[in-house]
Each structure stands twice: as C-alpha cells, then as structure tokens.
Amino acid sequence: MTFLSISALRDTNDHLIGYVGVFEDITAFKEWQKAQQMKDEFLANVSHELRTPLNAVMGLSALIEVESDHEKIKNYARNIDLSGRHLLDIVNELLDFSKIQAGKFQIEKSRLPLIKVFKDCHAILLALAQEKRVNLRFSYQDIAEDLYVEGDEIRLKQVINNISSNAIKFAEGGIVEIIANYCDGKLSIIFKDNGIGMDAGVVRNLLKPFYQADGAITRKFGGTGLGLAISKNIVDKMGGSITIESSAGKGSTFNLSIPLYRAPQEQEQSADMVPLHTFGHRYHVLIAEDNPLNQLILEQILHRFELNVTKAGDGKEALDLALRNTFDLILMNMQMPEMDGIQSTKILRENGILVPVIACTANAYQEDRTACIASGMNDFITKPIDVSALNALLIQYLTTAGQSAAEHLTSKD
C-alpha cells in the first residue's frame, strides 16, 4: 500500500498556513484536494452573496443620509452604515483566513503617504469610539506630512484598525491611547487601553485563530476571533512584530513594530484624497447590473456626479446596447444571467469597442480581478461600493480614456 504524506505548512513564525495529511493512495489525496477546492469555492460564493445585499444596505443608507433633512433620520442611516461595515469586516476576515490557510495571502508593496494611513484610520476609529463611549487619544503628530514609505497601505490600515478596534471594544466607556512614531525606517505604534485586561494564559493564546477568552466575554463583546490572528500574520509577513502586555482588570498594551523604508523623495506627490467631482452631464455611463436595488444605488450615485445613465439587466443586454450606442464608460457586474460580464467584455473587445469597462462586482478575490483584466476590462471595484474610490475611477477614465473611446465609437458609425 502506498502512503502519501503532507507536512504542516507553516510560516517562519510557526503559524499554520496549510494542512497536514497522510493518504493511503493518490485517490485519497485527490479527494482531499477536492475538499479544499470546495471550501474555497464555498467561501467565495458566500462572500459574493453577502456583499451583494450589503451593497444595497450601505448604498441606500448613504443616500438616505445625503438626501434627508432630518438629523434623526441621518443618524439612523449612519448607524445602519456602521452595522453594514461591521458585517463586511467579518466577511473580509473569513476570506483572509482562508487565503492564509491556502498559502495565498500576499503583501503588496507600493509607494504610500504614511500620514494618510493614520488620518484614514483615525476617522474610522473615532466613529467607533463614539459609539462605544470611549475616549480615543490618537497621536501621530510626529509623522511628517511629506513622508512616503514603501508598503502595503490596505494591509497596514487593516492591522491598525484591527488592534485599535479590539482595544476600543474591550475598553467600553474607558480610554484608548494610540501613539505612533516613525524613526530610521521603522514604524512603532503603542495601543494602550484601560479595559478588562487579560491573564497570562489568555495573552499566550490571543493571536491564535478563533481564540476567545471565554463564552461570557464572547457573548458580550462579539467578534470572530480572527482579527488579531490575521493581523499577526500580516505583521509577520511585513517583517515586524507584535507584543502584548496585560493583566486582568488593569487593561492591555499592544506594541507594534514594522520596518517601512522611505520611498525616493523626488517622486513624491500630494497626499490629499481625490475630492468628489461632478461632470456636468457631459458623459454617458452604462450600468450592467442584474440586481434591481444595486442598479438603483449605482444610478443615484452617478446622478449625484452629474452623469447620464443607461441601465442593462444582464450581460447580453449590456452588449447589445454597447454595440448600438455610444457610451463613455461601462460599469460591469461579473455574475449576471444570460451572459456574464467577462463574456460581454471579451465580445466588446473582439468587435473593436474600446470604451473603458470597470468591473463593479461582489467577487472580491485577486483571481477575480485578474480574470476581469484579462477579459479586457480596464479596472475593478468591489461591492459594497466606496463612493470616493468610484469617483476617483470616474475622474481617471472619463477625463482621459473615456473621451478617446467616445471619439473611436463615433468614427466607427
């Protein structure tokens, strides 16, 4: 009898990123592989099915907040949005953990303004602190406005937000102090709270996946038990470290250290966020979206940007409209009946239609982004839609590529 063995797949800090198995033959091994693939597909499908209604929940709450004249209604809408973002965080944690187990979790490096990371995190955490009646003291004044470093902006924010929100959660009604500084290529952050604290046994296990101190605490404070474990994995991959000091009833202190090297000064650009921009009804955008609520939300957002809108309920209808009409940009869902967004885009490109196409989808994996770009799409944005991110893409494609695409279509006619 032949035995096949798979050893534990661990990173340099001995964190499990794969599975151990001993198989009697190749058939058993293939069954194991199939089970892992089914698990990945299941998580991807669950993510998609959750993101689609979440886009409606968060999109409608944003529209209510903007359009309502009543402060009480605006406050309701803000609370709906906060709850939606909390659910989205849970979805993202499950996806990240799945990637870690499969050894597919990667750290990207790009040039980023460090001060923007802290300003963005501060805005998010301040809202959470107010909700939990926590006095948040966030100090990053020593980070220079013109400091650019090489790192992964999304993952860095994820770590800061995970550790900070954990401190805020357990310090309800108390104080959380966050102190950040950068010196000689190293970012150091202290997260200190005067919350419930932990004994030595809890501290030893806190960074392990799904770990919760006890049932009563879990019921009161909630959480998946994944946020800190994922943060630990991210920090390890960045070459940094997390240490914890705590004692029961006396609060906790997390010490974060990450090497982040300066980016070349001569390439520095403005760290300001792209302002919301209106287009004066000069451009025509096609929405390809099969969900009526998400159609409505996208349409209302685009109307706020002063854009003309046509809607298609599936990929085939979108293709027919794009072949017969002139559009400046298409927002294309991936999964639709009749014809999906990837097929529709491929046929557009085969017919020489150069109109910019942006995937607007609840499929959030990197392989989904890769498939969209390979089909001929120009860019990719995930649901729930971030209005500022969408606005930045509209500015990019409508003020440059969009014009030339429209001219191309006109010359074809």
Side-chain angles (χ1 to χ4, degrees), residues 52-67:
T52 298
L54 268 177
N55 186 60
V57 170
M58 296 169 67
L60 287 172
S61 65
L63 290 174
I64 291 169
E65 184 179 353
V66 167
E67 296 179 5

Side-chain angles (χ1 to χ4, degrees), residues 13 107 232-241 257-259 261:
N13 289 277
I107 299 296
K232 171 66 173 170
N233 190 275
I234 293 172
V235 172
D236 287 345
K237 286 184 178 296
M238 289 180 172
S241 64
S257 177
I258 301 175
Y261 300 107

